[in-house]
Amino acid sequence: MINTFCKQPLWEVSQTLAAVAGGFAPADTVITGARLVNVCTHEIQEDISVAVSCGRIALVGDASHCIGPDTTVIDVKGQYLAPGFMDGHIHVESSMMSAGEYARAVIPHGTTGIYMDPHEICNVLGLPGVKCMLEDASRTPLKAMMTTPSCVPAVPGFEDTGSFIGPEEVAETMNWKECVGLGEMMNFPGILSSSDHAHGITGATLKAGKTVTGHYSMPETGKGLNAYIASGVRCCHESTRAEDALAKMRLGMYAMFREGSAWHDLKEVGKSITNHQVDSRFAILISDDTHPHTLSAQGHLDHLVRRAVEDGIDAVTAIQMVTLNCAQCFQMDHELGSIAPGKCADMVLLDNLESLTVTKVWIDGELTAEDGAMVKEPAPYTYPEWATHSMHVGEAITKETFAIPAKKDHAKVRAIEVIPAKVGSFERHVTLTAKEGKLESDPSQDVLKTVVFERHHETGTKGFGFVKGFGITCGAMASTVAHDAHNLLVIGTNDEDMALAANTLIACGGGMTAVQNGKVLGTVPLPIAGLMNDKSAEEMSALVESLEESWKQIGCSMPSPFMTMALIPLACLPELRLTNRGLVDCTTFQFVPLEVD
């Protein structure tokens, strides 16, 4: 694969690099006195120097002969020098920050590259919205490598989105310089049933010689998983059990160990290598979804490496999982992922291998961050007006909008029970007593009314359901971050508060809010596609923290509840989900009625 993410292509500078390594030309920069984390051989090499020229590494070892009168020499005094960290699967939109602000937040934590799947903004604004994100990211040093959204909508026929991506659109993006592959193929039913649409999308990627990333959330690891991998899918981040990850690695699939703000899968899936004598080359650490408070308080991939070490994975292996393994997954290890001659000079300096604190970050040989802060601020970027006006609900929402007529006095209904810090859900059957001929929330059973409104094309369609697991006793919450169609999702104990929550977000262009007894307790405005804001990580963290306090006030204490809430409409995850078209049984992929026969 031709890499357009380095400062200069290797063929342009190979002669210069050879000259620098041979001592016939001076290096731009020489780092001395490093303990090198050699991910190629899984070892620590003492007192190593690295010579850098033209944004690439010319020599690793004794670089004294590479130093000229204008060479910048940096003595790191025994700190650990590792390759720059890369996140193999990330949705920038889930940080609620613009791509540029996201870059500012993660680079000081050692992140030099991300493989971003912008399917959130693509579901709302289509490929023009994706181009906006790429333009925003390009003003920063971060290597924002795009995997084309594969499932817009995620499961065709079960939801309404703002856009549509098919094989022709995917084929078009394969020519974009930022594109390195295909975003997570969530439509695994389409792959397993050999649908023309799903295989047309993966086929366009494979024809371009690029990586197909996966989303196989089923516990079945036999014929289904084999079929999925045989179709060309190279990696998957949906393992929640150690046996899932182990099965994938044994079949040559890269198992991505997820540890985001809400999805804490690493402790369990990490056992696939700590409890087995297996090679870890097919294991990668990824964040998937990370909100601003996590980035500000804990970090990004540096936090994941620390978490891996806590769970018994040695530090060098953990670093391999965010460097070389990731680069190999995307067929880019000839350029990225290691500190070796010819590679891009993306490097991270760590104080030690216990606290793993990042002290310096170089991208393409340039010092980009130091002691937790960017060295230079990127130029500003403004999203176009059409990207900040995406709320098109198509009806005036009142308390009457939320009425669910009851067929009888006592009704057994389907409810979605969420699992804190997990992506799965359970289908539960609960009995509700009708009030004045209507089905209402029952906080005593932790059963809350839920409605999903289509908000892209003013169709006026909406789906009704009930959820369990949030613990809310009085109030409502709403969000336009509702994967993956990102329609308007409202949950509450009473119709009045639900209407207020919905109208609050319509007025501010989208976001997340919590209300109680006719009062708005907290709101995070997300005017960019109803998904992002251009404020800094610190500012967004403060807004989100305030909203979380509001959630606690109405009775919810689960971690990152809005992330769990955001998955209620995601019809590619088991067991039961709610979209604007209705309740979906995600084990049989059929619509089901609210009331149980």
Side-chain angles (χ1 to χ4, degrees):
M1 179 185 293
I2 297 175
N3 178 16
T4 63
F5 296 94
C6 291
K7 184 177 182 180
Q8 291 180 267
L10 183 57
W11 64 266
E12 280 188 355
V13 299
S14 58
Q15 190 173 2
T16 301
L17 294 176
V20 171
F24 303 110
D28 299 329
T29 303
V30 170
I31 297 171
T32 65
R35 290 188 171 104
L36 178 67
V37 181
N38 194 322
V39 295
C40 300
T41 52
H42 194 283
E43 63 179 325
I44 304 296
Q45 293 180 267
E46 299 288 338
D47 195 19
I48 295 295
S49 296
V50 177
V52 175
S53 180
C54 306
R56 292 178 177 268
I57 296 166
L59 178 142
V60 178
D62 179 0
S64 56
H65 61 287
C66 304
I67 299 172
D70 297 322
T71 301
T72 299
V73 179
I74 304 170
D75 184 359
V76 299
K77 303 182 186 304
Q79 292 191 74
Y80 291 82
L81 189 67
F85 300 160
M86 294 181 291
D87 196 330
H89 179 68
I90 176 66
H91 304 292
V92 169
E93 304 97 314
S94 294
S95 72
M96 293 173 277
M97 296 183 291
S98 65
E101 289 302 322
Y102 176 86
R104 289 183 65 247
V106 301
I107 289 173
H109 289 284
T111 302
T112 60
I114 59 173
Y115 292 88
M116 71 175 190
D117 181 352
H119 73 209
E120 320 295 2
I121 197 169
C122 193
N123 268 279
V124 180
L125 301 176
L127 292 178
V130 174
K131 287 184 176 180
C132 286
M133 282 192 71
L134 293 173
E135 290 172 4
D136 184 12
S138 68
R139 66 193 174 98
T140 76
L142 182 69
K143 295 180 177 179
M145 296 164 277
M146 182 192 79
T147 58
T148 299
S150 65
C151 296
V152 180
V155 184
F158 289 91
E159 61 187 348
D160 291 288
T161 61
S163 185
F164 173 82
I165 298 294
E168 290 184 5
E169 290 79 10
V170 170
E172 173 198 335
T173 64
M174 289 299 136
N175 296 315
W176 294 9
K177 63 183 178 63
E178 300 93 347
C179 180
V180 300
L182 185 70
E184 56 179 305
M185 175 44 74
M186 291 177 287
N187 186 13
F188 59 86
I191 293 294
L192 300 187
S193 64
S194 293
S195 80
D196 291 342
H197 177 78
H199 283 272
I201 287 173
T202 56
T205 308
L206 296 171
K207 185 177 180 180
K210 298 186 178 182
T211 297
V212 177
T213 69
H215 173 117
Y216 187 81
S217 57
M218 300 294 286
E220 191 274 334
T221 56
K223 64 179 183 180
L225 179 59
N226 274 268
Y228 192 63
I229 297 172
S231 74
V233 182
R234 191 167 170 85
C235 58
C236 177
H237 62 279
E238 284 295 333
S239 300
T240 58
R241 307 175 304 169
E243 54 263 42
D244 298 335
L246 185 59
K248 290 167 186 174
M249 291 189 289
R250 283 173 169 166
L251 294 173
M253 172 181 262
Y254 285 86
M256 293 176 159
F257 297 8
R258 174 172 49 196
E259 188 75 4
S261 292
W263 330 129
H264 305 306
D265 297 322
L266 176 58
K267 187 176 185 66
E268 176 60 29
V269 297
K271 295 174 184 176
S272 62
I273 56 177
T274 57
N275 289 358
H276 299 270
Q277 296 297 317
V278 296
D279 196 311
S280 61
R281 73 179 68 192
F282 282 99
I284 300 173
L285 295 172
I286 60 101
S287 63
D288 196 0
D289 298 298
T290 309
H291 69 66
H293 180 69
T294 302
L295 296 175
S296 297
Q298 297 175 314
H300 183 216
L301 294 173
D302 56 335
H303 168 59
L304 269 63
V305 171
R306 285 189 289 270
R307 281 285 300 107
V309 172
E310 289 174 7
D311 288 339
I313 298 172
D314 74 85
V316 176
T317 297
I319 291 172
Q320 285 178 319
M321 293 165 70
V322 292
T323 57
L324 184 59
N325 295 10
C326 184
Q328 288 176 335
C329 175
F330 287 92
Q331 307 170 79
M332 297 178 73
D333 52 300
H334 63 298
E335 299 267 48
L336 305 173
S338 61
I339 297 178
K343 306 297 191 293
C344 296
D346 301 339
M347 299 175 289
V348 173
L349 197 63
L350 304 165
D351 60 349
N352 56 63
L353 296 185
E354 287 76 43
S355 65
L356 292 155
T357 301
V358 176
T359 58
K360 284 184 172 65
V361 181
W362 291 269
I363 299 180
D364 289 331
E366 295 185 11
L367 183 64
T368 306
E370 187 170 15
D371 297 328
M374 295 286 289
V375 172
K376 291 190 298 185
E377 289 297 316
Y381 178 82
T382 302
Y383 280 79
E385 186 175 351
W386 55 263
T388 59
H389 292 81
S390 64
M391 296 296 291
H392 309 291
V393 174
E395 67 176 302
I397 295 178
T398 66
K399 66 178 184 179
E400 287 74 22
T401 307
F402 296 90
I404 304 177
K407 296 179 181 178
K408 47 192 174 183
D409 291 341
H410 300 282
K412 182 179 287 188
V413 302
R414 291 178 169 86
I416 302 166
E417 183 172 3
V418 298
I419 309 169
K422 298 293 182 182
V423 298
S425 70
F426 298 115
E427 177 179 332
R428 303 300 190 198
H429 296 168
V430 297
T431 300
L432 298 177
T433 301
K435 299 177 181 178
E436 298 180 356
K438 300 173 185 176
L439 295 178
E440 305 289 357
S441 298
D442 186 354
S444 68
Q445 296 189 72
D446 190 20
V447 176
L448 304 177
K449 186 184 295 185
T450 308
V451 182
V452 178
F453 296 86
E454 193 279 325
R455 63 123 172 157
H456 305 295
H457 303 294
E458 298 183 335
T459 64
T461 59
K462 51 187 175 287
F464 293 89
F466 290 92
V467 297
K468 284 178 63 68
F470 286 99
I472 293 171
T473 56
C474 179
M477 57 274 196
S479 178
T480 53
V481 180
H483 302 295
D484 276 330
H486 298 293
N487 286 309
L488 174 59
L489 168 64
V490 189
I491 298 173
T493 64
N494 64 87
D495 296 347
E496 291 83 358
D497 280 347
M498 293 177 77
L500 175 59
N503 286 315
T504 297
L505 295 190
I506 292 172
C508 71
M512 302 178 295
T513 191
V515 307
Q516 185 180 60
N517 295 326
K519 179 182 178 182
V520 178
L521 302 180
T523 300
V524 178
L526 301 174
I528 303 170
L531 301 171
M532 298 177 288
N533 199 308
D534 59 5
K535 296 182 182 296
S536 69
E538 293 74 21
E539 292 173 300
M540 291 305 296
S541 178
L543 285 171
V544 172
E545 189 173 358
S546 175
L547 182 64
E548 287 189 331
E549 289 303 313
S550 300
W551 277 68
K552 291 177 184 177
Q553 186 173 334
I554 63 177
C556 182
S557 59
M558 71 168 60
S560 301
F562 49 86
M563 283 195 165
T564 301
M565 174 182 171
L567 295 184
I568 287 171
L570 187 51
C572 61
L573 290 176
E575 295 177 350
L576 185 67
R577 302 288 163 170
L578 176 67
T579 76
N580 69 294
R581 295 193 184 187
L583 282 169
V584 183
D585 181 330
C586 299
T587 60
T588 63
F589 291 96
Q590 295 177 333
F591 286 109
V592 292
L594 177 60
E595 294 192 29
V596 181
D597 294 334

